[in-house]
Amino acid sequence: MLNKSNALFYGAASEVITPFANDGSVAYDLLEQEIQFMIDHGVTGFFVNGLASEALVLTKEERKECAKVVYEACKGRVPVMGNIIANSVEDGVESAHTYAKIGYDAIIITPPPIYKYTQDGIFEFFDSIASSTELPCYIYNAPETGNKLSPAMIAKLFEKNERFMGYKDSTQSIIEQQTLIGLIGEERHFELLAGSDAQIVTTAMLGGAGGISLITVVFPDLIVECCEACEKGEWEKAIELQQKILKVREALKCGPFMAAYKYVSGRLGRPLGGMRKPMAYVSEKDCEIIEGKLKALGLL
């Protein structure tokens, strides 16, 4: 059944953005500051080494170090989940063991990207990695990997492997969310988490525990307030905030991938470093558009 009261991850949890120094190295000091800022503003947990963390341009050692820095910055105050993004079971299992050794509270598994795998292959990928660890496991449905998971596949994984505790949904499909809820047994622990800032309210209305937000890195108060309104059943307020979140999301998606988030955070006096090549910065035109949209919302 859907679990909210005893969910490990709930409310306004956040993905982590990786800051880079001018020479392209990871700015671990800024990463630590990023985590502290969000904890100070009510963020309830962290999702580390995700796609928006630019994990695919990090080396294996850099991902490990980022995981350590986030864990140490949290000091046990909020839970942390380590994302596994790999193209082989072996690499996924190694990542799971790394997170466990650091002390993580859970792992979350992303579909293997790019290549077109069979359904049996994807099932084995998730099941094998989850079976290799004692940590609670979450499933991340990320269509941008090119290997979107069906509700039937996710339900089958929950039925087969007791390690699976929750699901981060980035499909932006209310129909698929409802279908999955109907397929999960009433006795099964199931934490539903919005994987997109566009889904916070609809996921909560379906009984979700919260979400893994990206906007929290820049405007945590907005997401925390929306999640709290959902928890209290203040739906009119929550829907109003969701509409504002959609406009903020639109502004932060201007320009190259992740560049606007770093630009705006720096503009607010909370530097998140630069971009690692071949990732690009926002252009002057992008900056004008971003500033215009956020000033209209009273956020700059």
Side-chain angles (χ1 to χ4, degrees):
M1 62 180 292
L2 282 163
N3 292 82
K4 293 175 65 176
S5 62
N6 60 343
L8 179 59
F9 290 88
Y10 61 92
S14 181
E15 188 155 357
V16 174
I17 292 177
T18 306
F20 296 102
N22 291 335
D23 63 1
S25 62
V26 179
Y28 296 109
D29 57 333
L30 295 182
L31 178 57
E32 184 177 358
Q33 292 171 28
E34 174 188 345
I35 298 303
Q36 185 60 57
F37 166 73
M38 285 193 276
I39 290 177
D40 289 344
H41 285 259
V43 169
T44 58
F46 294 103
F47 168 86
V48 181
N49 287 330
L51 294 170
S53 303
E54 300 171 73
L56 292 177
V57 301
L58 297 176
T59 67
K60 188 180 294 185
E61 284 304 311
E62 286 172 332
R63 291 187 204 178
K64 181 177 179 180
E65 189 61 27
C66 284
K68 286 181 178 179
V69 169
V70 173
Y71 178 78
E72 291 168 3
C74 288
K75 297 182 175 67
R77 292 174 289 176
V78 298
V80 285
M81 67 164 67
N83 184 47
I84 292 174
I85 183 161
N87 280 106
S88 71
V89 170
E90 291 76 14
D91 282 348
V93 168
E94 182 183 351
S95 293
H97 291 172
T98 295
Y99 288 125
K101 188 174 181 179
I102 294 170
Y104 268 50
D105 299 282
I107 62 167
I108 183 166
I109 308 170
T110 301
I114 306 302
Y115 302 126
K116 296 300 180 184
Y117 299 92
T118 65
Q119 291 298 292
D120 287 345
I122 291 176
F123 182 90
E124 183 179 357
F125 177 84
F126 277 86
D127 185 49
S128 297
I129 295 171
S131 297
S132 75
T133 180
E134 296 296 316
L135 291 176
C137 299
Y138 291 69
I139 293 171
Y140 178 21
N141 201 358
E144 57 267 49
T145 61
N147 287 296
K148 180 181 175 183
L149 306 178
S150 68
M153 166 75 79
I154 297 162
K156 184 180 176 184
L157 284 165
F158 269 82
E159 181 180 5
K160 167 70 165 51
N161 198 316
E162 64 180 9
R163 293 284 172 221
F164 289 114
M165 303 295 289
Y167 168 60
K168 177 179 184 280
D169 177 31
S170 291
T171 65
Q172 300 181 31
S173 171
I174 297 175
I175 293 174
E176 292 193 12
Q177 277 191 347
Q178 291 179 94
T179 301
L180 177 59
I181 291 168
L183 291 172
I184 297 291
E186 280 295 316
E187 302 303 317
R188 187 65 165 85
H189 181 98
F190 179 56
E191 299 172 22
L192 175 62
L193 297 165
S196 168
D197 283 299
Q199 289 179 281
I200 294 171
V201 172
T202 53
T203 300
M205 285 180 168
L206 290 174
I212 308 293
S213 171
L214 190 55
I215 290 176
T216 35
V217 179
V218 187
F219 299 112
D221 295 343
L222 178 60
I223 306 302
V224 169
E225 187 178 4
C226 183
C227 288
E228 289 179 348
C230 290
E231 187 62 30
K232 295 174 183 175
E234 298 174 351
W235 297 115
E236 185 174 344
K237 178 180 179 181
I239 291 168
E240 182 180 344
L241 287 165
Q242 180 71 85
Q243 290 299 315
K244 185 173 183 178
I245 289 166
L246 288 174
K247 293 176 182 178
V248 172
R249 182 174 179 269
E250 180 184 6
L252 293 176
K253 285 188 174 291
C254 291
F257 182 68
M258 296 313 302
Y261 287 83
K262 293 184 178 183
Y263 168 73
V264 174
S265 190
R267 176 78 167 70
L268 293 169
R270 301 189 298 271
L272 280 178
M275 310 299 294
R276 173 176 278 182
K277 294 178 181 179
M279 310 299 279
Y281 289 82
V282 288
S283 66
E284 288 187 13
K285 183 177 180 180
D286 290 332
C287 291
E288 291 176 5
I289 294 171
I290 294 164
E291 296 233 357
K293 290 178 181 292
L294 293 179
K295 284 179 179 176
L297 294 169
L299 295 173
L300 277 183

